[in-house]
Amino acid sequence: MAEFSPELAWELATGGPWPDPELLSGPDRFMAMALREGTKGVGLSSPNPPVGCVLVRGDHVLGRGVHTRAGDPHAEIMALRDAERRNETTQGSAAYITLEPCCHHGRTPPCTEALIRAGIRSVYVGVRDPNPRVDGGGFAILRAQGIQVQEGILGIDCARFHAPFFKLIRTGLPWVTLKLALGSDNAMGPQGHNHQITPRDIQLTAHALRRASEAIVVGRRTIEVDDPLLTDRWPTPTLPHRLFRRIVLDSQGLLPPDRQVWKGVEGQPALRVTVGECPPLKGVEQLRVPPGPGGCSLRHLLHELVALNVSRVLIEGGSRLALSALDQDLVDEFHLFKSDMPAGGTSLPVDLQSFSVPPLRFPFFGGSWAIHRHR
């Protein structure tokens, strides 16, 4: 039986579970460290990827770094600064990086230049950056300077970790995670009633999914029945720049202004999505989108969210919203809690045929948690 500790919950929310460095040796061990360092930037670095980096000489770690904010130094720079703080010399050392170092001038200088200046001798990378401004260019520059480059260290794990960024680069759409809790009868409970299915001991994972996202989306019925705040309540404090948008699909503007979700929460703005013109709500952002199946066009909304620097979206709650997202093939990752007890109400025709990767299952007392992923 699985125990949903905060550590496991965070791993699952960031695409894991991840390899344990203590169970590995050689380059794999240090790349596993870099991966775990990278998870510290999930939910913070959008639209940039949360890259992790570890600098090593022999078996000794000189410095660690993670990218946590677009416009701030990348993971390689943070690792070099960490080594400097520790009074470590990086000349002749090796760098383990989850993603190919950038080689272009953007909001920050190229990381390839920093690695060359620091005297890095070897660079081990998890996966190539598909961004057309990089895409092998970082490797070429490093090799031209006589630096040994090895690609594909824990490549499958690093590709899975950076899948949200890869999707954003290739499609212009954010990574969409769906969380749904069902009884053994595939139902969510009697319609119009708040029915708690997920046990408290694994609600950690639900809150970890919020922390790993930059926005949460629910339908109008969820607000009518549950009246939730939809806030990020992960126990560990976050950096001040983090924005977590609480998005409600209210196509006709029917929700009254006294709902809890409309309350102002610092760093967690509420956003009402409508189809037609609706009177504004005080302190609530409003976004008008074209109509779509069930009310609002979800695909159009996702494109609009990218414009707001949202690269990870969590859909939580609402059977119609969940089924609509699945039917339109908009879900990249589906976290499904299945209770051992029936919930009552209408059974949902959940179709999981589109998910190509066999699910991860975590049984425990009272039910099981399954994660279905496309890739």
Side-chain angles (χ1 to χ4, degrees):
M1 296 294 182
E3 293 185 7
F4 276 75
S5 64
E7 292 76 20
L8 176 58
W10 185 244
E11 285 199 43
L12 298 181
T14 58
W18 304 116
D20 186 347
E22 300 303 317
L23 301 179
L24 301 172
S25 61
D28 286 356
R29 175 170 176 255
F30 297 115
M31 187 59 72
M33 291 182 186
L35 258 175
R36 289 174 183 266
E37 196 69 21
T39 65
K40 299 175 184 177
V42 174
L44 294 168
S45 64
S46 181
N48 291 353
V51 178
C53 176
V54 173
L55 303 177
V56 178
R57 179 181 292 106
D59 287 330
H60 176 58
V61 175
L62 307 176
R64 304 169 188 260
V66 57
H67 183 52
T68 58
R69 184 179 186 179
D72 282 0
H74 291 184
E76 298 91 329
I77 309 302
M78 298 302 288
L80 290 169
R81 289 181 179 179
D82 185 40
E84 184 178 3
R85 282 192 296 268
R86 300 183 189 195
N87 293 319
E88 299 281 8
T89 303
T90 57
Q91 190 74 32
S93 64
Y96 292 81
I97 315 166
T98 59
L99 186 69
E100 178 183 4
C102 67
C103 55
H104 60 280
H105 283 271
R107 296 172 69 177
T108 59
C111 290
T112 49
E113 291 183 2
L115 294 171
I116 293 167
R117 286 197 306 269
I120 302 298
R121 182 188 63 194
S122 304
V123 174
Y124 297 87
V125 174
V127 65
R128 180 179 298 230
D129 187 345
N131 186 336
R133 301 181 71 184
V134 185
D135 198 13
F139 294 151
I141 288 173
L142 294 173
R143 287 180 173 128
Q145 295 296 318
I147 296 174
Q148 176 191 352
V149 176
Q150 188 170 341
E151 180 185 355
I153 309 301
L154 293 186
I156 293 177
D157 296 290
C158 290
R160 189 170 74 251
F161 178 62
H162 288 301
F165 174 66
F166 293 170
K167 180 190 178 186
L168 183 65
I169 288 294
R170 291 166 176 157
T171 70
L173 289 170
W175 185 261
V176 178
T177 299
L178 170 65
K179 182 187 78 68
L180 196 60
L182 300 176
S184 58
D185 52 0
N186 266 15
M188 299 178 67
Q191 188 174 6
H193 296 276
N194 187 337
H195 187 79
Q196 184 65 52
I197 296 175
T198 309
R200 290 185 178 275
D201 58 349
I202 66 159
Q203 287 181 14
L204 273 173
T205 304
H207 288 294
L209 287 169
R210 292 189 184 185
R211 174 55 61 89
S213 306
E214 290 110 24
I216 183 172
V217 180
V218 301
R220 174 175 57 86
R221 290 290 294 163
T222 295
I223 303 301
E224 289 178 335
V225 174
D226 299 340
D227 194 20
L229 268 173
L230 296 180
T231 49
D232 169 8
R233 298 192 295 277
W234 186 246
T236 305
T238 187
L239 295 179
H241 73 268
R242 169 169 160 81
L243 275 182
F244 180 68
R245 297 182 185 276
R246 299 173 293 145
I247 301 171
V248 180
L249 305 183
D250 185 20
S251 59
Q252 303 304 315
L254 300 177
L255 287 171
D258 63 350
R259 300 289 85 183
Q260 289 200 88
V261 71
W262 305 138
K263 292 181 179 179
V265 179
E266 186 176 0
Q268 303 186 51
L271 174 64
R272 180 174 66 165
V273 181
T274 65
V275 169
E277 288 286 353
C278 300
L281 294 174
K282 184 178 180 181
V284 177
E285 298 178 35
Q286 186 159 309
L287 176 65
R288 186 177 177 183
V289 301
C296 301
S297 169
L298 292 180
R299 186 173 295 275
H300 188 96
L301 171 62
L302 294 177
H303 280 289
E304 292 287 350
L305 291 179
V306 168
L308 296 174
N309 282 340
V310 172
S311 59
R312 293 174 183 251
V313 177
L314 173 64
I315 296 178
E316 183 182 294
S319 58
R320 284 188 293 182
L321 173 58
L323 292 176
S324 181
L326 288 170
D327 289 344
Q328 296 177 60
D329 197 25
L330 296 176
V331 178
D332 300 291
E333 185 170 288
F334 182 17
H335 288 247
L336 174 62
F337 170 69
K338 195 75 172 289
S339 173
D340 291 337
M341 302 293 292
T346 304
S347 179
L348 300 184
V350 176
D351 182 9
L352 301 176
Q353 297 302 312
S354 64
F355 291 91
S356 58
V357 178
L360 297 173
R361 298 190 184 276
F362 297 86
F364 57 93
F365 182 76
S368 65
W369 191 280
I371 305 174
H372 302 261
R373 292 174 175 139
H374 273 308
R375 56 186 72 82

